[in-house]
Amino acid sequence: MKKAPAPTKTQGAFENSEQPKSSKPTHFLGTENPRHLRVIMALLVSPRPREAIDRIAGASNGPELMAELRRRGLDAPCSKTPCIDRDGFEVKRGIYHLTDHDKRLIRAWLKRRDRQRKQGGKQ
C-alpha cells in the first residue's frame, strides 16, 4: 500500500517562515477585562494560590485566566509549593506571582492608560 503524499502548501503545510509566532509580546498589552483587572491588582499586593485567583476573578478557571494574562505579555509564573490537603496527603499547590519585570510592565501600562484617559476626557 502506498503512502499518501505530503500535504502541499495549499493543503496546510507550513514553511518555517510561515508558522505563527508563539512568543509573547515584548510589553504588556493591557486589558479592560474586569476579571483580569481584579487579579492583576491582587497580585500586585501579594502572591496568590490558584483557589484565591478563582475567588478574586469570580470565575472557576484561574489557570486559563493566568494563561490569558501571559498571552498579553506577563510572565506571571506559578510556583508549586508543598502543602498538606484536607485528607492529610502532601500535595503541591500552585502559587501565582508577578515578577519584578511584570510589575514594571503593569505600572507602565497603567500610566499609558491613565494618560490616554485624561487626553480623551479633555476633548
Side-chain angles (χ1 to χ4, degrees):
M1 194 164 168
K2 289 186 178 181
K3 283 186 175 180
T8 64
K9 214 175 196 180
T10 57
Q11 293 172 329
F14 288 99
E15 289 180 12
N16 284 342
S17 63
E18 292 182 24
Q19 288 184 352
K21 302 271 189 241
S22 62
S23 61
K24 66 182 183 178
T26 56
H27 63 282
F28 179 51
L29 299 176
T31 181
E32 292 301 320
N33 182 320
R35 291 177 178 179
H36 292 171
L37 295 173
R38 287 191 295 268
V39 168
I40 288 169
M41 295 308 159
L43 288 173
L44 283 171
V45 173
S46 66
R48 307 290 174 142
R50 191 223 24 102
E51 298 85 357
I53 296 294
D54 289 350
R55 280 192 307 276
I56 292 163
S60 62
N61 196 354
E64 175 56 26
L65 187 139
M66 296 305 296
E68 289 171 8
L69 291 175
R70 289 182 186 121
R71 287 189 290 269
R72 292 177 171 273
L74 298 178
D75 286 326
C78 180
S79 304
K80 300 291 184 174
T81 305
C83 70
I84 306 298
D85 71 6
R86 74 168 87 179
D87 298 317
F89 296 106
E90 184 173 299
V91 296
K92 293 188 179 190
R93 72 181 197 170
I95 308 288
Y96 291 99
H97 64 278
L98 297 173
T99 64
D100 290 339
H101 184 250
D102 288 339
K103 292 176 183 178
R104 284 192 296 274
L105 291 173
I106 290 167
R107 287 187 195 108
W109 166 69
L110 288 171
K111 282 183 184 179
R112 284 192 312 270
R113 184 182 76 162
D114 290 346
R115 209 174 307 125
Q116 289 171 350
R117 287 183 176 177
K118 286 179 184 178
Q119 290 173 351
K122 290 180 182 178
Q123 293 176 355

